[in-house]
Amino acid sequence: KDSSNNESAKNAEHAVMIELVKGVLTTPTVTSSIYGFDGGILKTKQLVTGSTQRTIRFDFFSGETFTNAEVQVTIEGMTFNTNDYYSISGWTHLTSDQISNNGHTLTFTGSNRGVSDIAFELHDKLMPAPGTYLIKFKADADGPGTARSFSEEQFITLIILPPA
C-alpha cells in the first residue's frame, strides 16, 4: 500500500516467498524504507553522459538488526572497483574478492552493525550512454542458510542525460 492507503495490483514481481531450509522456516529480511542518493533521500539522480563524477554517494539503511549479514549491491552501466568505498562503521575500500559479475555486483558479509546506514561512494566514474540505470540492493540480515532470507530487491535510479 502507498502512503494514501491505495493497494497495488498483486503480481509475481512483488510476491514474498517463504522457504524451508535445513528444517528451519526462513522469512525475508525486512526491507528498508530509507535508501537512496545523498544520505538516503533521493531515489533518482541525473548526470550527463561522458562526464566524470568525482564521487557518487548512495546509502542503504538496514531494515532490521544485522547479525553476520550478507548485502548485495548491483549496478548497471558502470562497475565497482577497489578505488570505491563502503562504510558500515568507517570508510573501507572495496576488495577484489567482494566484486563479481564483471564488476557489476558487490557482495559483503559479516556485517554485525545492527540497524544502521551502509554508505557507498563511487569514485571517478565516467558516465555511460544516455539512459536509465538501476542500482539494486538486497540484504540477508543473518547470513545464508539461517532464519532470514534475502530481502525484496530495492533500487535507485541513475538517469544519464545527453549533453546540453
Side-chain angles (χ1 to χ4, degrees):
K1 294 183 179 182
D2 64 17
S3 60
S4 299
N5 212 25
N6 298 312
E7 187 172 335
S8 62
K10 292 175 177 50
N11 60 44
E13 180 182 344
H14 296 96
V16 174
M17 181 176 70
I18 298 175
E19 59 184 309
L20 188 61
V21 177
K22 295 182 185 177
V24 176
L25 185 64
T26 62
T27 55
T29 297
V30 175
T31 56
S32 172
S33 60
I34 305 171
Y35 59 96
F37 297 102
D38 305 321
I41 299 168
L42 304 172
K43 300 294 186 255
T44 62
K45 189 170 194 84
Q46 292 183 349
L47 300 166
V48 176
T49 188
S51 66
T52 300
Q53 298 299 308
R54 191 178 76 74
T55 61
I56 299 173
R57 163 83 185 261
F58 53 95
D59 296 71
F60 176 77
F61 289 75
S62 59
E64 63 180 272
T65 300
F66 279 3
T67 305
N68 197 34
E70 181 173 324
V71 178
Q72 290 183 1
V73 182
T74 303
I75 189 167
E76 297 176 343
M78 291 181 280
T79 57
F80 293 108
N81 63 51
T82 56
N83 291 325
D84 300 326
Y85 292 86
Y86 73 93
S87 176
I88 296 175
S89 58
W91 290 102
T92 305
H93 275 285
L94 303 181
T95 61
S96 58
D97 63 324
Q98 294 173 310
I99 302 168
S100 62
N101 188 24
N102 294 318
H104 293 285
T105 301
L106 165 65
T107 303
F108 62 91
T109 58
S111 175
N112 291 304
R113 188 70 175 137
V115 177
S116 67
D117 177 18
I118 302 171
F120 301 88
E121 197 172 88
L122 308 179
H123 284 259
D124 301 316
K125 298 297 182 192
L126 179 64
M127 295 301 97
T132 300
Y133 300 91
L134 300 179
I135 299 174
K136 304 173 188 178
F137 306 91
K138 66 180 182 176
D140 181 341
D142 60 1
T146 51
R148 302 306 244 174
S149 59
F150 272 107
S151 64
E152 177 181 330
E153 195 167 62
Q154 296 175 279
F155 59 90
I156 56 178
T157 306
L158 275 172
I159 300 170
I160 306 301
L161 303 170

